[in-house]
Amino acid sequence: MFLFPTHSLGRVTEITPVFLNRLGIRGLILDVDNTLTTHNNPVPLPGVPQWIAEMKDHGIGLMILSNNHPERVRPFAQMLDLPFVADGKKPLSSGMRRATQAMGLTKDQVAIVGDQLFTDIWAGNHYGCVSILVEPIEPEQTGFLAVKRRWERPILKAYHRRRGRE
């Protein structure tokens, strides 16, 4: 199914260079909110800066791709010394293509990492790259994100049932 991730993990920091090497992944396209930090938080989750340094030390390219505006993404990306694409229009492929090209890689060499099925995972699967779902750092309680989380529940249930049979 187009909303099923290729892989799922608890946190972005659980992704290792060994895991990526096994998949032939040389670059990660990273979501910001609820993946690297909580919503609208200007500071990364503890452990994220060290994880980014480890990825860079192992030659893994990193690029932030966010649907947020540059005013939100730029200072966060600068703090982590990462390039970024803002207004990424996920799940459309245009932001994915821009991020992949900026890293000098092909879609077969990148994976997208994010917490949302309807943006991050859909974008990666539609683009044709590996998609890695991470659990949201914090639950959304209100607004459209909370509605989308309710829509995700049956899909995630089906995904985990399928994984249990593999």
Side-chain angles (χ1 to χ4, degrees):
M1 175 182 231
F2 71 100
L3 290 174
F4 283 6
T6 313
H7 301 279
S8 65
L9 298 166
R11 294 278 178 257
V12 68
T13 52
E14 294 176 25
I15 300 170
T16 66
V18 171
F19 173 73
L20 296 175
N21 189 44
R22 221 176 23 236
L23 298 174
I25 300 299
R26 296 181 46 216
L28 293 176
I29 298 171
L30 304 165
D31 180 47
V32 174
D33 288 324
N34 243 347
T35 299
L36 299 175
T37 191
T38 53
H39 279 283
N40 297 316
N41 187 344
V43 179
L45 189 69
V48 166
Q50 297 82 357
W51 175 81
I52 287 172
E54 179 186 9
M55 292 295 117
K56 288 180 176 181
D57 287 348
H58 283 87
I60 304 296
L62 301 169
M63 170 76 71
I64 288 176
L65 173 62
S66 176
N67 285 349
N68 266 308
H69 301 298
E71 299 78 30
R72 159 70 172 129
V73 182
R74 181 179 294 110
F76 189 82
Q78 287 173 337
M79 181 185 314
L80 295 171
D81 193 27
L82 293 179
F84 69 94
V85 173
D87 295 321
K89 299 181 179 138
K90 295 178 285 184
L92 301 178
S93 293
S94 59
M96 294 290 296
R97 193 172 13 267
R98 286 173 35 212
T100 301
Q101 289 172 346
M103 286 192 285
L105 299 172
T106 66
K107 62 182 164 186
D108 296 330
Q109 297 171 310
V110 300
I112 185 167
V113 181
D115 67 295
Q116 291 190 54
L117 294 180
F118 293 105
T119 54
D120 309 310
I121 302 309
W122 187 347
N125 292 346
H126 181 256
Y127 184 60
C129 72
V130 168
S131 58
I132 302 172
L133 179 70
V134 294
E135 293 175 19
I137 296 168
E138 66 181 9
E140 288 88 0
Q141 303 295 332
T142 61
F144 187 59
L145 283 174
V147 171
K148 285 197 314 184
R149 292 295 185 199
R150 283 195 297 276
W151 294 344
E152 286 180 342
R153 283 187 202 128
I155 299 164
L156 287 169
K157 215 178 244 185
Y159 167 73
H160 289 297
R161 265 196 317 271
R162 179 182 282 178
R163 278 188 61 201
R165 285 181 288 190
E166 293 175 354

